[in-house]
Amino acid sequence: MSCYCENLESPGRELTRHVKAGGSVCFVWQCQGCGNRIGQEVARAQLLAQGQDLQAIPDFDVQFAEGQEALRRGRAEQRRNQFFLQQQSEREEFDRRRREHMSSPKWAMLRDKVLKRDGWTCQGCLRGNATQVHHLTYSHLGEELAFQLISLCRECHEKTHHIEAAAP
């Protein structure tokens, strides 16, 4: 596992004794910020050559590392929840504006002009009687340009929305 703090100002590190699953002991650096192990094992011979008292080296703090991981996961979950709440709020606001616009006299006039422009012919199948107007984009909601709208029959309009809903 790598240190989450490696791209930040270093909070410090501590040489620790880590007991592996099989019971063997190794020595590793533990980040004092995130609790994770930093880098490779430190060779026992290297520590002895430096005059280190191996018995004085503290144990790797597993509880600290696990606690920091739980905090990271909690913060990530909180950010995800905030993102989804923001998306939901934006969607609700868009839907409100869309409903308001689609019930306005301005929309009724533009809708009628588009249906007339297309000769009341469905631009999807070119056979059906167009009764609905479809937005190719909502980028100009309330200020649509005529080329962003097409006349469709009910079947083609339903098919168009089914395809849009299935798109990734």
Side-chain angles (χ1 to χ4, degrees):
M1 189 165 279
S2 65
C3 175
Y4 288 100
C5 300
E6 59 193 2
N7 294 327
L8 305 173
E9 187 175 317
S10 176
R13 64 183 188 163
E14 180 177 28
L15 183 63
T16 60
R17 178 180 35 249
H18 182 67
V19 180
K20 295 181 181 181
S24 64
V25 175
C26 67
F27 299 91
V28 297
W29 291 102
Q30 184 172 22
C31 176
Q32 296 302 293
C34 67
N36 283 339
R37 174 181 167 162
I38 303 172
Q40 302 293 323
E41 294 178 9
V42 180
R44 180 183 303 264
Q46 179 185 354
L47 294 173
L48 290 172
Q50 293 172 353
Q52 282 276 356
D53 176 4
L54 301 183
Q55 297 304 315
I57 297 174
D59 289 337
F60 185 87
D61 193 340
V62 175
Q63 288 181 331
F64 174 66
E66 290 173 348
Q68 292 301 98
E69 178 64 21
L71 286 173
R72 276 190 298 283
R73 287 185 180 155
R75 286 190 295 267
E77 180 68 22
Q78 185 177 30
R79 284 190 302 272
R80 275 191 299 278
N81 288 342
Q82 287 172 340
F83 173 77
F84 290 127
L85 287 173
Q86 179 66 30
Q87 274 190 323
Q88 181 181 4
S89 175
E90 289 172 5
R91 181 65 189 180
E92 288 170 358
E93 174 59 19
F94 171 79
D95 288 344
R96 183 198 63 74
R97 286 182 39 239
R98 184 175 139 306
R99 281 190 307 273
E100 184 178 294
H101 174 61
M102 301 291 269
S103 63
S104 73
K106 181 178 177 181
W107 168 251
M109 286 176 29
L110 180 57
R111 179 184 178 280
D112 190 50
K113 286 180 184 179
V114 170
L115 289 166
K116 286 177 184 171
R117 176 199 67 196
D118 294 339
W120 298 85
T121 300
C122 175
Q123 300 301 295
C125 64
L126 296 175
R127 291 186 312 265
N129 183 32
T131 58
Q132 300 178 10
V133 174
H134 175 72
H135 283 79
L136 296 175
T137 177
Y138 283 107
S139 62
H140 297 109
L141 181 65
E143 298 297 326
E144 297 90 345
L145 299 169
F147 73 86
Q148 297 174 321
L149 304 166
I150 60 170
S151 302
L152 295 174
C153 65
R154 185 183 53 78
E155 293 82 14
C156 286
H157 201 197
E158 287 176 3
K159 187 186 298 184
T160 300
H161 283 282
H162 177 71
I163 291 169
E164 288 173 356

